[in-house]
Each structure stands twice: as C-alpha cells, then as structure tokens.
Amino acid sequence: MTFSVPSTTFLVNKDYFLIRPLQNIPKVVEFFSFYCPYCYQLEICNKKNNIFNKNSLNNMNIRHYHVIFNNNFDLSITQAWSIAIALNIENKVILPIFSGIQKVHTIYNKKTLKKTFIQYSDISPQMYDTLWDSLLIKKILLKQIQTSQLIQLKEIPTICINGKYVINNNIHLKSILEFIKSYTVVTNYLLNIKELKIVKK
C-alpha cells in the first residue's frame, strides 16, 4: 500500500469539507456575487498583492461562478458574466462591475451593466447583443445556476476544488490578506492530494 503525504496536512471537516462529487466543472471554482462586499474586498486584495501568482494558482485557471439570489437583476448580471467567461475576459470586467454595483453605483439595470461591460471589455455593442442571445451564453449561464444549486451553497465566497472539496471559510479570519493566503495554501494542498493506491504484489 503506497500513498503520498504532503509536508503540510490539512484536516477534513476543519480546513475543508467533502461534498457529493460534481461532474464536468473546473478544478478550482469560486462561487461569488457582485453584491457581496466580502467578495469585492477579496478581489481587490488579490489584485493588489498578486497572491494567486505568488502561490502558483493563477495557472490553475480559477473559474468564478456568479450566484443568483432573489434579486431579479442577478440573472442579468450572471448572463453578462457568462459573456466574460466565454470571451475569457473576466479579469477585465470583474472589478469595474464590482465597483459599479457597490462603490460608485453606476450599475443598476441591464442598460448600465451593458455600458460598463462594453467600456472595459472593448467589445462592440453588436457583439454583446449577439452573444447575449446565443446558445453558448445560455449554456454557460445554466451551468453556473445548476452547479450553484448542486453544491448547496451556505455562504459566499465558496471555493470548490476538483468538484469534491469545499474550503472552510473560517480557516483564517484575522484579515482578508491572510484569508487569501490561507485558502491558496489549502487549495494547493487539495489539488495535489493523491488517491490511495493499492499495490498488488
């Protein structure tokens, strides 16, 4: 019987939780909302300190899935975010949308959302409208909704690894910076967990 033990060990039900395995999702998914102040602070802090790059997570293609709550505008925001995913321009629009909703309050309906998206993504209004009604965007939108429902979210942000681990948000609450550092370390650990293998002799 052989197995690999990382130099730093984290504990299930303490540092992370096991969930019912989810199929066909990215290795690292962060569930968030543009209405969540903590999600906004996390994004600002990470951009400022470049933590993902320093902890080798940037190359893991961390995917952000937007969560729909009871606000009807959430569906439009998630649909616009689906366009960002499809074009791989999440980094261009995520902070402007956060700012427009939470800080400067310039985003409050579909029209103002579209204006900000186009301004920072450099795509044309025509392309935006075409993508908005496309089957591709509807598929990405549905994927975010279904995955959010399957994981049975209790809070955001929630980080899911390999479709079967969810990081405990209480791993480090002294500061946002320390929280991000902690969850990147736990994420790296979970990404590198080796399955137990039985060796036949």
Side-chain angles (χ1 to χ4, degrees):
M1 185 177 293
T2 62
F3 57 95
S4 173
V5 180
S7 58
T8 301
T9 301
F10 296 95
L11 301 176
V12 66
N13 295 328
K14 178 178 180 293
D15 303 292
Y16 65 94
F17 306 103
L18 289 172
I19 62 171
R20 180 177 295 178
L22 304 175
Q23 302 298 320
N24 302 317
I25 69 169
K27 285 187 175 183
V28 183
V29 181
E30 178 182 324
F31 296 88
F32 81 108
S33 169
F34 281 112
Y35 284 101
C36 167
Y38 199 63
C39 297
Y40 185 20
Q41 293 175 53
L42 283 175
E43 193 64 29
I44 292 174
C45 186
N46 180 58
K47 286 288 193 300
K48 180 180 179 180
N49 296 281
N50 199 28
I51 297 171
F52 285 165
N53 277 329
K54 291 177 181 177
N55 288 274
S56 71
L57 285 185
N58 196 53
N59 293 329
M60 290 291 101
N61 189 27
I62 298 174
R63 183 65 73 195
H64 289 69
Y65 279 2
H66 192 256
V67 178
I68 297 176
F69 292 109
N70 296 322
N71 188 337
N72 290 332
F73 188 36
D74 271 350
L75 181 61
S76 296
I77 296 172
T78 308
Q79 194 158 343
W81 185 245
S82 299
I83 296 175
I85 292 175
L87 298 177
N88 196 29
I89 56 171
E90 297 101 308
N91 287 336
K92 288 186 176 181
V93 300
I94 190 167
L95 283 179
I97 294 177
F98 263 128
S99 177
I101 290 175
Q102 293 194 37
K103 185 178 180 180
V104 295
H105 307 296
T106 54
I107 297 176
Y108 45 85
N109 57 25
K110 289 174 63 175
K111 182 177 180 180
T112 52
L113 173 62
K114 176 181 177 180
K115 180 179 179 181
T116 299
F117 193 102
I118 291 170
Q119 178 183 352
Y120 288 93
S121 66
D122 297 323
I123 69 170
S124 68
Q126 293 76 19
M127 178 180 287
Y128 183 92
D129 291 338
T130 299
L131 286 169
W132 184 273
D133 293 319
S134 70
L135 290 177
L136 172 62
I137 298 308
K138 291 178 181 178
K139 182 178 179 180
I140 296 173
L141 173 66
L142 184 61
K143 181 70 173 180
Q144 292 179 84
I145 295 172
Q146 290 179 336
T147 307
S148 298
Q149 292 173 341
L150 286 172
I151 204 171
Q152 297 181 337
L153 291 173
K154 296 180 180 179
E155 58 188 358
I156 52 173
T158 289
I159 292 78
C160 180
I161 314 298
N162 285 336
K164 56 184 177 181
Y165 308 114
V166 169
I167 295 179
N168 182 2
N169 279 354
N170 294 321
I171 53 177
H172 207 308
L173 296 178
K174 289 183 179 179
S175 70
I176 293 175
L177 179 59
E178 290 303 317
F179 173 83
I180 297 176
K181 289 180 179 178
S182 294
Y183 97 60
T184 54
V185 173
V186 178
T187 297
N188 273 320
Y189 166 78
L190 294 173
L191 283 169
N192 290 287
I193 282 183
K194 303 296 182 182
E195 299 294 336
L196 195 65
K197 296 180 180 180
I198 305 297
V199 179
K200 294 182 179 180
K201 295 184 178 179

